[in-house]
Amino acid sequence: MSAAITTNAIDEVFARLKESGETALIPFMTMGDPDLETSVALVQAAEAAGAHMIELGIPYSDPLADGPVIQRASERALKNRISLTDCIGVASKAREKGVRMPFIIFTYFNPALQLGLERFFGLLQENGFSGAIIPDLPMEEDAETKEIADRHGIHLIPLVAPTSEARVERIASRASGFVYCVSSLGVTGERSSFHEGIGAFLATVRKAASVPICVGFGISSREQAESLAGQCDGVIVGSAIVRKVEESLPLLIADDADRKAEGIAAVRDFIAALKPQRVG
């Protein structure tokens, strides 16, 4: 039987950031794009750039929440016939390389269900994950999954959107880890502006939640991250980073070690430039 789990690394990071007045920077990356070994190196680069925790995205053939940039990354990764367990293993390999930040898996429900929920969360625990985001698992159907996640010390992190309306307070009030607030309508992707009622929406979530709130979907620059920093505890950047990986592919897949290192550094520097300045 697993030992009782009393702490979670996500909680520890947010407690530390609250004391220092910082906003969490949470990158998203698609695992296996362009290959698993490079994913490990990119996770290392993200931490070196100042990321506080990271979402490891599982490539999926029917990604309902993902825009074209992340869809293309998933297509590239799936050509290598990688599995969910391969992607979960990236976390432990990154730990072996010295990465210390919390890992959060971002996957759709079917892959986890096919693996078996007990085995899925057991593997997350064994490989050092602290959280899971399953965007197509609604609150009304997550009781069994949440119970298993809790037992393995994994925060099941909910998404909430401006269109969630009456469900916003219910979702936020039962969240663990943090609440993932969707800044814009539609799928993931870079945007020049957010939902016009974003301020009131975040205030509603803040009032209902007892855990930190973070904003994602559409953030692609430091200016956008800083514009939201005063209203949330963390910003999540996905498509803009995945696009940078895509732009750097000629370097990342090079056989020459120096050229590959140049590609890793380009992604690292891009992530570093996204980090919001300290507030307060």
Side-chain angles (χ1 to χ4, degrees), residues 14 42 65 143 151 206 208 229 244 279:
F14 276 117
L42 289 171
R151 189 153 29 84
R206 174 73 83 191
K244 187 63 182 179
V279 297

Side-chain angles (χ1 to χ4, degrees), residues 215-270:
V215 183
F217 276 50
I219 299 171
S220 59
S221 69
R222 172 178 285 178
E223 290 72 22
Q224 289 179 322
E226 291 182 343
S227 73
L228 294 166
Q231 306 170 74
C232 66
D233 303 292
V235 292
I236 301 157
V237 185
S239 294
I241 294 172
V242 175
R243 183 188 295 280
K244 187 63 182 179
V245 171
E246 184 177 63
E247 292 171 353
S248 304
L249 282 177
L251 296 169
L252 293 172
I253 63 174
D255 292 331
D256 181 85
D258 289 340
R259 283 175 54 78
K260 191 177 184 73
E262 185 181 343
I264 299 291
V267 178
R268 179 200 63 204
D269 294 347
F270 181 80

Side-chain angles (χ1 to χ4, degrees), residues 149-230:
D150 287 346
R151 189 153 29 84
H152 287 281
I154 306 293
H155 285 318
L156 186 62
I157 297 162
L159 279 85
V160 63
T163 51
S164 299
E165 298 179 344
R167 298 170 71 249
V168 169
E169 293 185 4
R170 291 172 55 205
I171 294 171
S173 64
R174 64 194 291 278
S176 64
F178 62 86
V179 182
Y180 189 136
C181 302
V182 176
S183 68
S184 310
L185 305 182
V187 298
T188 61
E190 302 122 293
R191 291 171 171 81
S192 58
S193 61
F194 304 118
H195 184 268
E196 62 181 12
I198 184 71
F201 165 60
L202 293 178
T204 300
V205 178
R206 174 73 83 191
K207 185 177 179 180
S210 61
V211 296
I213 68 172
C214 300
V215 183
F217 276 50
I219 299 171
S220 59
S221 69
R222 172 178 285 178
E223 290 72 22
Q224 289 179 322
E226 291 182 343
S227 73
L228 294 166

Side-chain angles (χ1 to χ4, degrees), residues 10-174:
I10 293 174
D11 303 335
E12 294 173 348
V13 168
F14 276 117
R16 190 171 71 242
L17 293 175
K18 185 176 182 179
E19 288 185 0
S20 62
E22 292 180 82
T23 302
L25 173 62
I26 310 174
F28 167 101
M29 290 182 177
T30 300
M31 296 297 93
D33 178 32
D35 55 66
L36 292 169
E37 181 184 354
T38 304
S39 290
V40 174
L42 289 171
V43 170
Q44 290 180 270
E47 183 166 74
H52 299 98
M53 55 189 81
I54 188 167
E55 291 181 13
L56 306 187
I58 306 304
Y60 188 53
S61 57
D62 188 22
L64 297 176
D66 295 330
V69 173
I70 296 178
Q71 286 186 27
R72 290 198 298 273
S74 291
E75 290 170 1
R76 290 192 293 270
L78 290 172
K79 286 181 180 176
N80 295 325
R81 297 184 177 278
I82 60 173
S83 67
L84 173 58
T85 54
D86 292 332
C87 295
I88 291 173
V90 168
S92 58
K93 291 176 182 174
R95 282 277 184 266
E96 291 171 3
K97 298 283 187 180
V99 174
R100 301 182 63 182
M101 64 182 165
F103 298 127
I104 302 163
I105 195 167
F106 187 110
T107 183
Y108 292 90
F109 187 58
N110 260 341
L113 188 63
Q114 289 177 5
L115 193 63
L117 294 178
E118 280 287 353
R119 187 180 177 210
F120 172 67
F121 283 104
L123 284 173
L124 294 187
Q125 182 181 4
E126 290 171 15
N127 285 271
F129 281 84
S130 301
I133 298 171
I134 306 178
D136 59 343
L137 179 61
M139 173 186 66
E140 291 80 2
E141 300 173 16
D142 74 356
E144 179 187 10
T145 306
K146 188 171 176 58
E147 186 276 324
I148 298 171
D150 287 346
R151 189 153 29 84
H152 287 281
I154 306 293
H155 285 318
L156 186 62
I157 297 162
L159 279 85
V160 63
T163 51
S164 299
E165 298 179 344
R167 298 170 71 249
V168 169
E169 293 185 4
R170 291 172 55 205
I171 294 171
S173 64
R174 64 194 291 278

